[in-house]
Amino acid sequence: MRRRILQATLLAVAVTAVVLGLPLGFSALKLVQDITVNDLSTRAQQIATLLDEQIASQRPVDLNAARLAVPDGARLIVRTQAHDYAYGPDPGERPLVESVPMVQSGTVTIAAPSAPVRTQQIQVAGLVLLLVVLSAGTGMIVASVTARRLSDPLRHVAARAARLGAGDFRADPQRHQVPELDRVADALDASGAALSQLVQRERELVGDVSHQLRSRQTAMHLRLEALAATDDPEVAEEAGAALEQAERLSGVLDDLLAAATAARARDAAPLDISALLSDVAAEWREPLKAAGRTLRLKVEEELLARVTPTRLRETIGVLLDNALRHGEGTVTLAARQGGGTVVVEVSDAGSGVPDELVPYVFERGFSGHGSTGVGLALARALVEADGGRLELSQARPAMFEVFLPVARADDVLGLPWKSEPTPR
């Protein structure tokens, strides 16, 4: 996009330079020649007037009296009825010649060398060319600035749309003072809020349905087991068959929930957590430093988890932003392997979360510090979308832990940088 805007602007500047530069150059060359010719004509007219006075007073023609009006290097030629007179050197080839008539039946001709005029024309042409080059250079600078000012907001809006598709539903406060792009940004924020509520309702619905079904299923299992233990063989046989169907139903329910989780995490792939956290830490060191705080990174090497990079980056960003806004002291970002999962920890040295707020920190719309109460709820939804979980493991000082599924062996072997070296 930026290259197209730059090319279009430069093309317009080039066309303008050609359309205006060529006529301007031609007019400048013509103007130099016209000025010189007019000057020769004026000089010849002055000389003709002087000689007419000499002839009218019956004095001999004296060209010395007119030598001051003859340009340097030019030749003066006077033709009368009686004689022809000449004064000055040969002007060379292709001179500029200007003749005027005399009242006393004659002509005055001045032949000036063309070299000085050609030199002035070359200088003027160079000046016009310089102006065209300066105009093109200025146009290039303006085009570059304009292309950047237009392309950067477009890239930002595109990145915002990509984050929205990846599950980051947080509102983006940045606006670009371009009405059309700002309307798109407003629409993306509104869509993000609607999608966030939809995902939250879906997650709550799935959880409620799962809880209700399992509760009813457990009660049904107990009743069927009690009926299967009766002394009546027919009742026991029917109860056993029903119990078998109930167990199949339980297996189907587990499969459906697992399929739903897998569908949400279909974009997850083996990811080097160590490298991603290093990049995130580099992004957040400056904001923390500006607030007089430091960020400490404690990450084990070669931690591989099956996760979506964008979701994890946004989740860690939410936790670090939460530590920056509501915490104090040094912020620690750590990662380790533990219990078949990769655990990412974000903690700070602040006063932590009050006991009365601990049960509600992940509820959407709830905040004890005047914020929107959206960030932590979205962070948990992003982690759960990849099959992980986000917990507040310690209230004071606050420590959040992200539990990520470890990458499977077949996925790890499929990575190019994890393949075995070729024997020589």
Side-chain angles (χ1 to χ4, degrees):
M1 181 65 184
R2 179 177 178 179
R3 185 176 64 180
R4 291 183 179 179
I5 296 174
L6 185 60
Q7 289 177 346
T9 307
L10 291 180
L11 179 61
V13 171
V15 171
T16 303
V18 171
V19 171
L20 295 181
L22 291 179
L24 179 61
F26 178 79
S27 300
L29 297 179
K30 183 66 174 171
L31 179 63
V32 170
Q33 184 171 352
D34 290 344
I35 291 175
T36 304
V37 170
N38 290 335
D39 180 64
L40 292 178
S41 179
T42 301
R43 291 172 181 269
Q45 189 64 48
Q46 292 174 350
I47 294 173
T49 302
L50 177 62
L51 296 179
D52 281 334
E53 291 177 356
Q54 292 179 359
I55 295 174
S57 61
Q58 296 182 354
R59 289 181 296 170
V61 175
D62 183 10
L63 297 184
N64 290 328
R67 68 179 183 274
L68 295 178
V70 179
D72 293 338
R75 168 170 285 190
L76 172 63
I77 301 173
V78 179
R79 290 186 174 89
T80 64
Q81 292 179 348
H83 296 89
D84 291 344
Y85 304 91
Y87 173 81
D90 184 8
E93 298 181 357
R94 304 179 63 182
L96 295 177
V97 179
E98 188 66 19
S99 297
V100 296
M102 297 174 58
V103 176
Q104 302 296 331
S105 300
T107 59
V108 174
T109 302
I110 297 180
S114 60
V117 178
R118 300 290 179 257
T119 301
Q120 292 181 6
Q121 288 179 329
I122 292 175
Q123 292 174 348
V124 171
L127 180 60
V128 172
L129 180 60
L130 179 61
L131 292 176
V132 171
V133 171
L134 289 177
S135 300
T138 304
M140 183 178 298
I141 295 174
V142 173
S144 300
V145 174
T146 303
R148 184 168 59 251
R149 290 188 62 184
L150 290 178
S151 61
D152 288 348
L154 287 173
R155 282 199 296 267
H156 180 81
V157 172
R160 173 70 183 98
R163 293 197 304 270
L164 181 62
D168 179 12
F169 304 131
R170 290 181 298 169
D172 189 351
Q174 183 173 352
R175 294 296 182 267
H176 308 283
Q177 308 306 318
V178 179
E180 293 78 6
L181 292 179
D182 289 346
R183 284 198 294 270
V184 173
D186 293 339
L188 289 176
D189 286 346
S191 299
L195 289 174
S196 173
Q197 295 176 359
L198 180 62
V199 170
Q200 187 76 9
R201 287 196 299 268
E202 178 186 358
R203 187 168 63 88
E204 292 174 354
L205 176 62
V206 170
D208 293 342
V209 170
S210 175
H211 175 72
Q212 294 295 330
L213 288 176
R214 292 188 184 280
S215 298
R216 301 298 184 271
Q217 191 177 36
T218 300
M220 185 174 60
H221 269 82
L222 295 175
R223 295 292 300 271
L224 290 176
E225 288 175 355
L227 289 175
T230 186
D231 295 335
D232 190 339
E234 293 183 1
V235 174
E237 182 179 359
E238 292 296 330
L243 185 60
E244 182 180 355
Q245 294 295 326
E247 291 175 350
R248 290 182 180 178
L249 179 60
S250 178
V252 170
L253 178 60
D254 291 338
D255 292 341
L256 290 176
L257 293 176
T261 301
R264 290 197 304 268
R266 65 181 181 273
D267 295 329
L271 178 67
D272 184 359
I273 301 299
S274 307
L276 184 139
L277 293 184
S278 298
D279 293 341
V280 173
E283 295 176 3
W284 280 89
R285 278 197 172 92
E286 285 302 323
L288 287 167
K289 184 179 179 181
R293 317 250 313 263
T294 57
L295 176 63
R296 183 172 60 181
L297 183 65
K298 297 170 55 179
V299 180
E300 296 180 4
E301 296 296 329
E302 296 187 359
L303 291 176
L304 293 176
R306 186 172 180 82
V307 67
T308 305
T310 306
R311 291 174 180 171
L312 179 58
R313 183 182 291 272
E314 293 300 328
T315 298
I316 302 302
V318 169
L319 297 179
L320 290 175
D321 181 67
N322 191 69
L324 173 62
R325 293 174 180 271
H326 309 307
E328 298 175 0
T330 300
V331 178
T332 302
L333 176 60
R336 56 183 171 81
Q337 187 103 17
T341 60
V342 174
V343 183
V344 180
E345 300 174 350
V346 178
S347 60
D348 61 78
S351 58
V353 182
D355 293 337
E356 63 273 13
L357 301 183
V358 171
Y360 310 104
V361 290
F362 294 108
E363 290 190 7
R364 182 179 179 85
F366 182 85
S367 174
H369 299 86
S371 59
T372 60
V374 176
L376 290 177
L378 285 177
R380 170 172 276 188
L382 292 174
V383 173
E384 291 180 350
D386 283 336
R389 70 180 193 277
L390 172 61
E391 302 291 345
L392 176 63
S393 60
Q394 181 177 300
R396 290 190 298 273
M399 175 185 291
F400 291 89
E401 289 184 335
V402 180
F403 298 89
L404 304 172
V406 176
R408 298 191 301 267
D410 53 347
D411 291 330
V412 175
L413 292 177
L415 294 176
W417 61 278
K418 281 292 180 182
S419 58
E420 296 296 332
T422 303
R424 297 183 178 178

